[in-house]
Amino acid sequence: MNTLDKLENKYMKTDLPDFKPGDKVSVSIRISEENKERIQVYEGIVIKRQGSGLNETFTVRKISFNNVGVERTFLLNSPIIQSITRMQEGKVRRAKLYYLRDKIGKKSRIKTK
Amino acid sequence: MVEAIYGEKIGTTQVFKDDGNAVYVTAIKAEPCIVLQVKNSQQDGYDALKVAFGDVDKKKVNKPKKGEFDKIKAEIKKNMGEIRLKEPQEEIKPGDSIELKIFKAGDKIKVSGISKGKGFAGVIKRHNFHRGRMSHGSHAHRIPGAVGMCATPARILKGKKMPGRMGHEMVTIKGSEIVDVIEDQNLILVKGSVPGNKGNIVYLEKLN
């Protein structure tokens, strides 16, 4: 194992759940406002996972008010993520679900396992 | 207090700070440096430590170099360097080692190393000149332009910025921040970039 991998291990999370594109997840994010800290929950469908090691990221897409699509990308090992829970396992045939951006309503649904 | 150490650039990555932000860091491997000689102002004219660091195949070391290590009964190291001292240090003797414990997270340091060689570079890359027009009949795309005056002085002034070899010179970055010190792996994480290639020897010194 090379030195950089060993170094990154120190910062990696060990208790990450198994999830992949197509899954519906809820991400609890720590948000600090002045001196207070609160938890915000962000829910949506994982449309991609990218990168490896400490630099791995995932993108979650949700449909907000007025049918506005919102996508947020998180660093998988970031300390601001308190927890990730998989709510539903999706059945998809692609690794990157960019096609969901062009679908609305019923067409944007994903088959579940 | 000795406030400097030699190390080897390992590579760059990003790590997380306590507040959740990811920072771009350069990892530097700084194994203990062995003190070979303590220089003092009476004998040598200045206060400094002569140190050795880096692993080496013992068969490849010549006798004069080996002799220096045999004299203090220390393990043979590859490279040698000098750490300048601000004031004489009485307690340091040849054979002692300088470890990376002298640094802690949050310290401001300066980092020196030999930068990557860029080869023969033009004035835009080498001296940050502006380029000429690329179109409208202009042929002066990346040329240096006028370099001097007329019949007086009839020569080009010394030090005129021109194309030439760039890089592979000693570069010092002041004010870099130490993000983390990992003692069991002998690693120092410095925020931002550090001169040179991977495997390059770098010199870290505390700023005060």
Side-chain angles (χ1 to χ4, degrees):
Chain A
M1 190 185 259
N2 78 33
T3 325
L4 274 184
D5 289 343
K6 222 158 123 186
L7 153 74
E8 286 181 357
N9 271 348
K10 189 191 152 182
Y11 293 88
M12 299 261 257
K13 286 182 183 169
T14 48
D15 54 345
L16 285 169
D18 186 30
F19 68 96
K20 57 183 194 308
D23 294 352
K24 196 174 178 189
V25 292
S26 88
V27 186
S28 306
I29 313 148
R30 284 201 193 96
I31 290 176
S32 53
E33 288 165 335
E34 288 165 24
N35 302 322
K36 269 188 276 179
E37 200 180 69
R38 64 186 177 87
I39 305 290
Q40 196 182 58
V41 180
Y42 185 83
E43 242 178 65
I45 288 165
V46 179
I47 62 165
K48 70 166 163 180
R49 282 183 74 154
Q50 186 258 112
S52 64
L54 199 55
N55 297 329
E56 184 167 353
T57 62
F58 65 99
T59 302
V60 182
R61 178 179 169 87
K62 75 167 181 182
I63 303 297
S64 194
F65 299 109
N66 294 341
N67 280 334
V68 177
V70 177
E71 283 178 19
R72 267 190 90 166
T73 302
F74 303 98
L75 276 158
L76 188 62
N77 289 285
S78 169
I80 69 159
I81 295 176
Q82 195 194 38
S83 66
I84 305 169
T85 39
R86 178 156 76 171
M87 300 160 75
Q88 220 170 56
E89 200 175 346
K91 199 174 164 189
V92 288
R93 300 173 74 156
R94 241 143 277 269
K96 306 279 152 76
L97 310 179
Y98 298 140
Y99 68 85
L100 286 180
R101 291 170 179 167
D102 304 326
K103 308 271 185 214
I104 40 168
K106 274 187 169 179
K107 287 253 173 78
S108 69
R109 285 175 306 175
I110 281 176
K111 277 185 198 163
T112 52
K113 263 184 192 169
Chain B
M1 264 296 280
V2 180
E3 291 180 324
I5 200 167
Y6 282 92
E8 183 196 336
K9 179 170 167 179
I10 297 291
T12 58
T13 180
Q14 68 177 18
V15 299
F16 295 106
K17 276 185 147 182
D18 296 335
D19 57 5
N21 289 335
V23 279
Y24 165 66
V25 294
T26 306
I28 291 165
K29 188 160 208 161
E31 280 167 336
C33 293
I34 296 172
V35 176
L36 290 178
Q37 185 193 348
V38 183
K39 294 192 172 179
N40 56 43
S41 39
Q42 287 95 41
Q43 238 168 24
D44 310 284
Y46 60 98
D47 293 305
L49 300 175
K50 184 173 173 184
V51 295
F53 53 95
D55 296 330
V56 68
D57 184 358
K58 275 170 197 149
K59 280 181 274 182
K60 288 178 182 163
V61 177
N62 60 18
K63 277 184 180 172
K65 194 171 178 183
K66 190 167 168 284
E68 287 203 55
F69 292 92
D70 288 347
K71 204 161 63 183
I72 58 161
K73 297 188 178 65
E75 201 190 338
I76 295 170
K77 296 283 181 184
K78 188 178 183 185
N79 307 300
M80 291 182 193
E82 232 176 44
I83 295 174
R84 283 296 276 267
L85 300 171
K86 290 189 182 72
E87 53 209 35
Q89 302 287 330
E90 302 289 325
E91 70 273 20
I92 298 171
K93 300 271 177 298
D96 289 357
S97 59
I98 293 161
E99 291 173 29
L100 79 171
K101 273 184 261 182
I102 51 177
F103 296 115
K104 61 178 192 305
D107 282 354
K108 295 280 183 201
I109 56 165
K110 67 175 184 186
V111 187
S112 307
I114 290 174
S115 64
K116 283 183 184 174
K118 308 286 191 296
F120 193 97
V123 284
I124 295 174
K125 184 172 183 161
R126 196 173 181 220
H127 300 298
N128 297 324
F129 281 20
H130 291 284
R131 78 163 160 69
R133 267 183 146 179
M134 299 308 275
S135 60
H136 293 279
S138 165
H139 291 180
H141 302 315
R142 295 174 71 93
I143 62 166
V147 292
M149 287 66 90
C150 198
T152 339
R155 62 184 174 90
I156 293 170
L157 299 180
K158 269 191 178 174
K160 179 76 203 150
K161 288 173 179 173
M162 287 207 177
R165 291 273 182 96
M166 185 183 169
H168 199 264
E169 57 182 353
M170 186 60 91
V171 174
T172 302
I173 295 174
K174 280 183 184 169
S176 294
E177 189 190 327
I178 290 183
V179 175
D180 203 352
V181 177
I182 305 166
E183 278 183 34
D184 55 340
Q185 291 180 45
N186 285 327
L187 284 178
I188 300 175
L189 305 185
V190 178
K191 186 177 173 183
S193 54
V194 159
N197 274 310
K198 289 175 199 168
N200 194 32
I201 293 167
V202 290
Y203 177 67
L204 313 175
E205 192 183 352
K206 241 187 228 182
L207 276 184
N208 25 18

